[in-house]
Amino acid sequence: MPSAFSANHGSPRILVTRRDNIGDLVCTTPLLAALRRRWPQAFLAVLASSYNQDVLLGNRDVDRVYVFPKRQQARGKLALLWSRWQLVREIRRQRFDVIVLANGGWRYARQLGARQLLGFRERDNPPDRQPDVVVPLAAGAALHEVEKMAALGHALGVTDALGPLCVYPRAEEVARRREELRRSGFDPQRPAVAIHISSRRPQQRWPEQHFIEFIRHLAQERPALQFLLFWSPGAENDPLHPGDDARAARILAATRGLAVHPCPTTRVAELIAALSLAERVICADGGALHVAAGLGKPILCFFGDSIVAEWRPWGAPYVLLQAASRKVADLSVAEVLAGFRRLEGQSGTADKSRET
């Protein structure tokens, strides 16, 4: 396989592009760590998005994070086009040896001036619009996203990219969130269970009445527990950023008198910091799941129609529940309570607690 630089190149300039979702970027962190181990003197950069960039806060494997502005977060079309053009010019000036296309994007990446593009075959592109180095994936194999990223690393001579996910809570964010929660009665000395109720996809949503019944049952069984209720803020009918304010308000009202503390998070940095305060995490497949795995938290996770082999928690203790219908709503409260008890029975938390 051709290479943009020899295996003996001591300081290559590498750009990894990952402009999609939070969990996808979290699942790329083992590759970034392996690239840094292989080339300690490399200039290693990531092209993230304005949505997922906080995943890399405090990550010392990365020298520079370039931020691709999302359309939803831009202030007008002209401003968006101008900022994207400025970004292209800035990256071109870096003269990267290789751009690793973690989630495709040949059409955009070819503008960035690297000596070579490396990535998977892009299904909708003809043969002349493919990366310079096309990394094969075994036909029919359901690889985890971490394993797919490791295949990209292997094409560069990196053979140890299957390590743990890595996210780093910022100390100031953790302190701020802890103080906010204390004002609602949160006790840092009591074990806390994080429950994230939000999911963008209908197949991944558990009914709010189920959450209410689950919290009531578990609070009765485990009176020492307290609960952190996570959700994405906003109105459910917001066309750009739908949220779960109304659902969360109803759950909080129905569990009044129990140790349930509101924990809405707008930014990824807030999510990372607040999840670090929990002992265990309950959530559907999505960004919060992979952040929790990056923190080493034991996870009880709900899967709808997602492919388990590709998106299960990586490197953290977990119990995974998936209904035969592939709809999270069809999981019963009894099944989730049983899943939580199994999670408690597993070995203790692998919490890394790495504040920066």
Side-chain angles (χ1 to χ4, degrees):
M1 181 176 292
S3 177
F5 45 84
S6 73
N8 296 321
H9 195 310
S11 54
R13 302 180 69 79
I14 304 171
L15 175 67
V16 178
T17 66
R18 191 90 241 203
R19 298 183 288 143
D20 43 2
N21 297 316
I22 295 167
D24 302 70
L25 183 52
V26 177
C27 287
T28 308
T29 57
L31 171 62
L32 299 174
L35 289 170
R36 176 58 67 201
R37 287 192 296 272
R38 178 63 182 84
W39 290 289
Q41 303 306 315
F43 179 71
L44 178 56
V46 174
L47 176 59
S49 72
S50 49
Y51 177 60
N52 68 12
Q53 61 175 315
D54 283 2
V55 165
L56 297 176
L57 287 172
N59 191 315
R60 297 178 182 176
D61 295 320
V62 179
D63 295 303
R64 178 78 182 270
V65 178
Y66 297 98
V67 179
F68 183 84
K70 289 283 191 180
R71 184 178 295 107
Q72 298 92 325
Q73 296 170 311
R75 297 181 178 179
K77 186 174 182 179
L78 287 178
L80 176 66
L81 292 174
W82 176 251
S83 61
R84 287 183 176 179
W85 171 239
Q86 290 292 93
L87 178 62
V88 168
R89 293 182 62 191
E90 186 177 0
I91 293 175
R92 287 182 67 88
R93 284 195 291 267
Q94 296 299 325
R95 300 181 181 274
F96 284 101
D97 292 304
V98 63
I99 294 179
V100 179
L101 304 178
N103 62 315
W106 172 89
R107 182 177 177 182
Y108 178 77
R110 69 187 179 124
Q111 306 174 67
L112 303 180
R115 291 176 56 197
Q116 195 167 72
L117 303 181
L118 181 147
F120 302 118
R121 182 169 301 282
E122 301 197 11
R123 187 180 307 168
D124 298 328
N125 288 359
D128 61 337
R129 296 190 174 190
Q130 297 291 341
D132 303 303
V133 177
V134 176
V135 177
L137 288 175
L143 298 178
H144 194 280
E145 188 67 11
V146 172
E147 295 171 314
K148 294 177 185 177
M149 296 302 99
L152 294 175
H154 195 269
L156 292 171
V158 173
T159 58
D160 59 342
L162 294 173
L165 309 183
C166 296
V167 294
Y168 300 87
R170 305 303 296 270
E172 62 273 19
E173 287 278 2
V174 174
R176 183 179 67 81
R177 180 60 69 166
R178 184 185 290 118
E179 184 56 34
E180 288 177 355
L181 287 166
R182 273 178 172 164
R183 290 197 288 269
S184 73
F186 175 73
D187 181 356
Q189 303 307 313
R190 288 175 62 186
V193 176
I195 301 178
H196 204 304
I197 67 171
S198 294
S199 179
R200 290 180 301 170
R201 302 177 60 244
Q203 297 93 330
Q204 301 285 95
R205 296 177 192 153
W206 208 40
E208 63 187 70
Q209 188 58 40
H210 285 18
F211 279 114
I212 292 166
E213 293 178 24
F214 173 79
I215 291 170
R216 287 173 175 169
H217 277 91
L218 197 57
Q220 186 173 12
E221 281 188 17
R222 308 281 195 276
L225 289 180
Q226 57 187 339
F227 303 89
L228 302 178
L229 189 71
F230 285 74
W231 74 91
S232 300
E236 61 184 355
N237 60 353
D238 187 318
L240 293 179
H241 304 287
D244 282 313
D245 285 346
R247 289 183 77 213
R250 290 190 291 267
I251 293 171
L252 289 167
T255 56
R256 188 175 289 117
L258 303 178
V260 183
H261 309 286
C263 211
T265 57
T266 303
R267 297 179 297 112
V268 176
E270 293 176 336
L271 176 66
I272 295 171
L275 284 177
S276 76
L277 298 173
E279 185 178 83
R280 292 178 174 85
V281 177
I282 300 171
C283 62
D285 173 39
L289 179 151
H290 300 291
V291 167
L295 291 166
K297 302 293 182 181
I299 305 162
L300 174 60
C301 50
F302 308 151
F303 270 61
D305 58 355
S306 301
I307 300 174
V308 170
E310 294 183 6
W311 296 109
R312 62 180 171 78
W314 181 269
Y318 71 91
V319 170
L320 190 149
L321 301 177
Q322 187 176 44
S325 65
R326 298 299 188 263
K327 294 180 181 179
V328 168
D330 289 339
L331 292 171
S332 69
V333 174
E335 287 175 303
V336 175
L337 283 166
F340 186 82
R341 295 180 193 116
R342 292 203 307 275
L343 186 67
E344 284 187 313
Q346 293 186 10
S347 57
T349 178
D351 183 8
K352 302 165 198 171
S353 298
R354 295 173 297 186
E355 294 181 12
T356 62

